Amino acid sequence: MVCDTKSSLSMALTLPLNGSTPAMPKAVSSGGYITVVPRNKLGVAKINTVVDSMRASSPTRKSHDSDDHKAWILGHPSALSMFKEIIHASKGKQIVMFLDYDGTLSPIVEDPDRAFMANEMRQAVRDVSKYFPTAIVSGRCIAKVFNFVRLEEVYYAGSHGMDIKGPRKGHLDKKENQALLCQPARESLPMIDEVYKKLVDKTTYIGGAKVENNKFCLAVHFRCVDEKRWVELADHVRSILKEYPKLRISQGRKVLEIRPNIKWDKGNAVEFLLESLGYDANSNDVFAIFIGDDRTDEDAFKVLRNSRQGSGILVSNFPKETNAVYTLREPYEVMNFLRRLVEFKEGC
Ligand SMILES: O=P(O)(O)OC[C@H]1O[C@H](O[C@H]2O[C@H](CO)[C@@H](O)[C@H](O)[C@H]2O)[C@H](O)[C@@H](O)[C@@H]1O
C-alpha cells in the first residue's frame, strides 16, 4: 500500500459538527458504541447527539448476567476460550500482532498522563514480539505511547495510524533510529497546532477539561468534566472546528478526537504495515490479530474481517456492536492471551 491519501468527507464514524438540525432520527443503542449518527444532506450531526452518543458508549454498570450480555458473548466469544481455534486458523501462516494502547494494554484512568502499563504487560508484549512482528497502534502520538510502552523492538503507529515508525531493533530494521515509514498528514501539522491552542484557550475555564496534542490529532477529554457541562464543552469544539473543514471529529471513550479529514485510519495503518512486512492484500500467508477497545479500532477490525487476513479482538466488559470476531474483558485478559501465544510458540 502506498502511503498516500485522498480526502474523504463521509466516513462511517466521522462526526462533522456544525449544529444544524439532523434529517434522520438518532439510533443510539444503550450498550453499543457504534451509533448511527443523524445527518442531514450536508452530513452534519447535532452536538447534543454526539454527547448522547458519548454517554451511551460509557455505561457505568457491568451486567454480565443480563440476557443481552449472554447473547453478545455467544456472537463474540472470548479469545481465551477460543484460543485453539485461533491457533488453528493461523496454522502455516505468520502471526502479526497489532495492539491498541489505552484500554487494551493499560487500564482506562482519569488522567491520560498516568495511563501506565504494568511491567508484567510490558514483558508479555516484549515476549510476543520475539516471535511475531508486533505493532502498537494508538490514537496517541508516538512519543507519548513510546514513553509508556518503552519497547524498541516493536512498530509504532501513532496518531491513529497517521505516523508510522519501524522498530529501533529486532525484526526487520537493525538501524539505530526508527525508520520513518509513513506520515500521510504532514501538511496538517501547523493547522493542528493552531487548533490545539484555540481549544486550550477556549476550554481551560471548564473544570476537568483537557486537550491533548497527539501531533497529527487532538483529543478533547470529557472524563473529568461534570456531565452537565459536556454539551458546553462539545459546543466549543464544534464552533472552533467549523472554521476548519479540513479537520474532522470522531468520538472515543469520553473523548472527542480531531484529526485531518483524510481517508487514513487504523485500518489503513494495518494494511500498510502488513504490506511493509511483505504481505499484500491477497496474501494467504499471514494471520493478523488486532486487539483494541475503542471505536477507532473498528476500522482495523473491519479491514481484517474483509481481507480474511486475521481477526479482531475487542476488549470490552459490556456488549458493543463490533467488527471484531472475539472479545477479551480487560487488559488483564489481553496479557493472558499474549502469554498463551508465547507459550504456544515455545511449545512448538
Ligand atoms: O488508540 P488508543 O491508544 O486507545 O488511544 C485513544 C485515546 O486514548 C487516551 O484516552 C483514553 O484513555 C485515557 C487514559 O486511560 C482516558 O482518561 C480517556 O478518557 C480515554 O479516552 C488518550 O489520552 C487519547 O489521547 C487517545 O487518543
Side-chain angles (χ1 to χ4, degrees):
M1 165 170 285
V2 181
C3 179
D4 187 16
T5 59
K6 288 201 177 80
S7 283
S8 162
L9 291 172
S10 172
M11 297 180 65
L13 296 173
T14 303
L15 307 176
L17 307 173
N18 73 359
S20 307
T21 310
M24 291 187 297
K26 66 182 178 182
V28 180
S29 111
S30 58
Y33 67 3
I34 295 187
T35 309
V36 178
V37 177
R39 288 154 188 276
N40 66 13
K41 281 182 192 151
L42 298 171
V44 292
K46 209 177 176 183
I47 197 75
N48 288 3
T49 309
V50 176
V51 170
D52 283 351
S53 166
M54 199 169 344
R55 279 197 191 102
S57 65
S58 314
T60 48
R61 255 179 328 115
K62 296 170 191 165
S63 54
H64 292 146
D65 296 332
S66 71
D67 288 346
D68 274 2
H69 194 271
K70 285 179 192 154
W72 182 69
I73 281 294
L74 281 179
H76 305 283
S78 162
L80 286 168
S81 58
M82 298 298 280
F83 190 76
K84 279 190 186 150
E85 285 76 356
I86 294 173
I87 293 303
H88 182 73
S90 71
K91 208 170 171 190
K93 304 182 182 198
Q94 171 67 56
I95 291 179
V96 179
M97 285 303 307
F98 293 98
L99 301 164
D100 166 55
Y101 184 73
D102 289 279
T104 298
L105 297 181
S106 69
I108 292 291
V109 292
E110 290 201 340
D111 181 355
D113 295 334
R114 301 192 61 77
F116 302 113
M117 183 181 177
N119 282 333
E120 295 83 354
M121 180 68 96
R122 182 171 300 103
Q123 189 58 45
V125 177
R126 183 185 286 121
D127 291 345
V128 140
S129 76
K130 284 182 198 152
Y131 299 111
F132 314 112
T134 299
I136 310 294
V137 188
S138 174
R140 292 181 186 257
C141 60
I142 290 188
K144 275 188 199 175
V145 78
F146 182 79
N147 260 342
F148 284 125
V149 177
R150 286 186 276 118
L151 291 174
E152 300 201 331
E153 47 274 76
V154 302
Y155 289 80
Y156 288 89
S159 310
H160 293 293
M162 281 186 259
D163 193 8
I164 303 182
K165 285 187 177 150
R168 289 184 188 169
K169 65 177 189 189
H171 285 296
L172 297 177
D173 194 331
K174 305 261 189 273
K175 288 182 208 149
E176 274 297 299
N177 295 311
Q178 281 173 296
L180 174 69
L181 299 178
C182 175
Q183 280 187 341
R186 252 191 142 143
E187 70 284 1
S188 307
L189 280 178
M191 186 168 41
I192 292 280
D193 282 341
E194 188 177 304
V195 173
Y196 172 69
K197 287 181 195 131
K198 286 189 182 179
L199 281 168
V200 171
D201 189 47
K202 280 272 177 204
T203 62
T204 192
Y205 78 97
I206 299 182
K210 185 178 172 78
V211 186
E212 227 188 325
N213 192 334
N214 283 326
K215 193 168 179 176
F216 294 99
C217 315
L218 303 171
V220 181
H221 290 278
F222 286 62
R223 187 167 298 277
C224 296
V225 175
D226 184 339
E227 233 180 283
K228 291 189 205 93
R229 303 191 74 180
W230 282 13
V231 170
E232 183 185 344
L233 179 55
D235 208 35
H236 282 303
V237 179
R238 176 199 63 78
S239 73
I240 291 171
L241 264 286
K242 74 181 175 197
E243 307 300 330
Y244 293 89
K246 288 189 173 169
L247 298 178
R248 68 184 173 96
I249 300 176
S250 58
Q251 181 208 313
R253 295 178 75 170
K254 297 194 180 175
V255 72
L256 287 183
E257 313 212 54
I258 291 131
R259 50 165 126 176
N261 197 0
I262 58 172
K263 173 65 191 91
W264 193 271
D265 52 37
K266 288 188 178 185
N268 297 93
V270 165
E271 288 174 324
F272 177 84
L273 280 164
L274 287 178
E275 210 167 300
S276 303
L277 289 164
Y279 305 105
D280 67 21
N282 301 314
S283 173
N284 279 323
D285 301 330
V286 68
F287 188 82
I289 300 175
F290 191 111
I291 311 183
D293 71 314
D294 209 349
R295 282 177 177 234
T296 56
D297 302 314
E298 291 295 331
D299 297 317
F301 298 155
K302 211 182 295 171
V303 159
L304 296 184
R305 183 173 275 253
N306 292 343
S307 66
R308 297 169 187 263
Q309 285 181 316
S311 293
I313 301 177
L314 175 71
V315 184
S316 179
N317 237 321
F318 56 89
K320 289 176 176 177
E321 282 180 57
T322 183
N323 287 293
V325 180
Y326 305 107
T327 49
L328 290 168
R329 284 186 294 192
E330 50 195 75
Y332 182 74
E333 290 197 352
V334 175
M335 185 174 73
N336 285 343
F337 180 80
L338 299 179
R339 284 179 172 168
R340 281 189 72 179
L341 276 177
V342 172
E343 281 164 22
F344 154 75
K345 192 68 186 177
E346 289 179 345
C348 280

